[in-house]
Amino acid sequence: MVSYGQKMFTTTDVGDVLALEYSNYLNLNEIQLEHKSVVMDFTSLLDSSTFGFGVDYTNHSLDFDDYNRYHNYADFEELHSIEIYARYKMNLVNNWDLNITVAPYLSSTLNESMSSEDVVFSYATNFIKTWDNDGLKSTLKLGAGYGALFGKPNFYPLISYAKEVNKKLKYEIGIPVTGIYYQVNEQSSFDLKAEPESIYANNAAAFSLENDEVLRNSKLEFKAITLGLGYKFRFDDNWSTYFNMGYVMESELGISENDNTVYDFGSNESIALNIGISFNLNKK
């Protein structure tokens, strides 16, 4: 549940959780990247027209030791992301729903006083059609969003089709998430997903270049696609833990200013490990 609400826009997620997560990217071209997240999600408060809200804090730690011999990247070693989101779901006709999400967030090094450069106003709107075939559900989602889901803030489509093949197996095809989900029993489940990973953070402090030019409001941008195999174990109706091993593809990591690349770290493929624990408030 990191990277500016990536779980927010899937058709297979479950809300109403308190969760802790830790992620480690083992080698992005000699750069270590870690995420530590705390998520409080309350998005299924009512059964019909639904109001929900949540807050998510992520600390990103980067290790530039192999690059600091050429330049000082200390300002970018600790990044902070705080997202507050609200959702509204309204039932329409013929099993169609309208889902609106508003999610402003701050993403910054916090090395200077906060400004508008540290904040991104993200949002999404989509229409959801649900079919029920002998107790097996299929879902079509059509919509669009704006935010840093794929790196620099921009518009992106939200298109997916999810289907329960049987009581244990379901799949989802679309953007931003494509995956297969298998429920072994009441306690154990697996998933195989391809989904985006991203960071887009502002550094308001002065950043000096090799030619003695000084930049302010420079941006660190990381974006990638992760193919991950995950395992979830439910201890009881409330507590569960999750482990994921992923392969990071198409990754890019760099520093920019006014859309001009200042430094490209030439990020490459990596193995990513993720572990989390969550407390489910509504026992779904």
Side-chain angles (χ1 to χ4, degrees):
M1 297 180 184
V2 294
S3 295
Y4 317 132
Q6 287 186 31
K7 305 286 185 183
M8 186 183 301
F9 307 120
T10 68
T11 58
T12 54
D13 59 346
V14 176
D16 299 337
V17 297
L18 303 178
L20 299 175
E21 280 198 359
Y22 172 79
S23 301
N24 191 322
Y25 297 74
L26 301 182
N27 183 4
L28 294 170
N29 203 16
E30 306 304 326
I31 294 177
Q32 289 277 140
L33 171 61
E34 294 181 342
H35 304 311
K36 296 177 283 290
S37 298
V38 179
V39 180
M40 294 180 287
D41 185 287
F42 308 94
T43 54
S44 303
L45 302 183
L46 302 174
D47 291 332
S48 54
S49 294
T50 302
F51 291 95
F53 61 94
V55 61
D56 157 347
Y57 168 75
T58 302
N59 172 268
H60 310 279
S61 298
L62 294 98
D63 182 351
F64 293 100
D65 283 352
D66 289 337
Y67 289 87
N68 281 336
R69 72 188 71 170
Y70 310 110
H71 197 71
N72 184 8
Y73 297 100
D75 284 343
F76 297 96
E77 291 180 350
E78 292 289 333
L79 310 175
H80 306 270
S81 300
I82 303 173
E83 178 184 50
I84 300 173
Y85 52 89
R87 303 180 193 173
Y88 174 68
K89 180 181 178 181
M90 181 174 66
N91 296 329
L92 303 177
V93 296
N94 297 325
N95 292 325
W96 280 94
D97 295 325
L98 172 65
N99 196 331
I100 300 173
T101 303
V102 178
Y105 62 85
L106 178 145
S107 186
S108 172
T109 61
L110 295 182
N111 290 327
E112 295 282 348
S113 299
M114 291 184 294
S115 71
S116 60
E117 293 284 344
D118 296 312
V119 179
V120 175
F121 188 79
S122 63
Y123 50 88
T125 301
N126 50 70
F127 294 91
I128 304 170
K129 170 72 171 180
T130 303
W131 296 270
D132 191 324
N133 299 312
D134 297 325
L136 300 176
K137 290 185 178 181
S138 300
T139 306
L140 174 68
K141 178 180 288 187
L142 301 172
Y146 177 85
L149 197 62
F150 294 95
K152 178 185 176 182
N154 209 336
F155 290 96
Y156 51 83
L158 294 169
I159 304 173
S160 68
Y161 175 74
K163 179 179 175 62
E164 294 180 340
V165 179
N166 52 49
K167 292 297 183 181
K168 292 189 173 183
L169 179 65
K170 58 186 175 184
Y171 64 84
E172 178 180 19
I173 300 173
I175 300 174
V177 179
T178 292
I180 300 173
Y181 310 83
Y182 183 75
Q183 186 78 36
V184 179
N185 51 43
E186 290 185 358
Q187 287 187 303
S188 298
S189 61
F190 289 91
D191 62 66
L192 178 65
K193 294 188 293 185
E195 58 186 334
E197 300 280 349
S198 71
I199 303 173
Y200 188 80
N202 182 59
N203 175 44
F207 178 65
S208 299
L209 303 182
E210 294 177 358
N211 60 3
D212 295 328
E213 181 183 359
V214 177
L215 303 179
R216 289 192 178 272
N217 292 317
S218 52
K219 307 293 193 295
L220 183 137
E221 181 180 358
F222 168 69
K223 56 184 178 180
I225 300 296
T226 298
L227 177 64
L229 176 63
Y231 171 72
K232 182 177 182 180
F233 181 82
R234 296 181 61 184
F235 296 102
D236 53 34
D237 288 341
N238 293 111
W239 290 100
S240 62
T241 187
Y242 181 78
F243 176 79
N244 180 282
M245 176 176 287
Y247 179 65
V248 182
M249 306 174 290
E250 303 296 328
S251 64
E252 298 179 22
L253 177 63
I255 296 172
S256 63
E257 190 261 347
N258 289 335
D259 296 333
N260 297 315
T261 299
V262 175
Y263 195 89
D264 184 354
F265 293 99
S267 181
N268 55 11
E269 287 75 17
S270 174
I271 298 298
L273 302 177
N274 171 271
I275 188 169
I277 187 168
S278 64
F279 181 78
N280 193 344
L281 300 175
N282 60 18
K283 299 184 180 181
K284 283 188 177 181

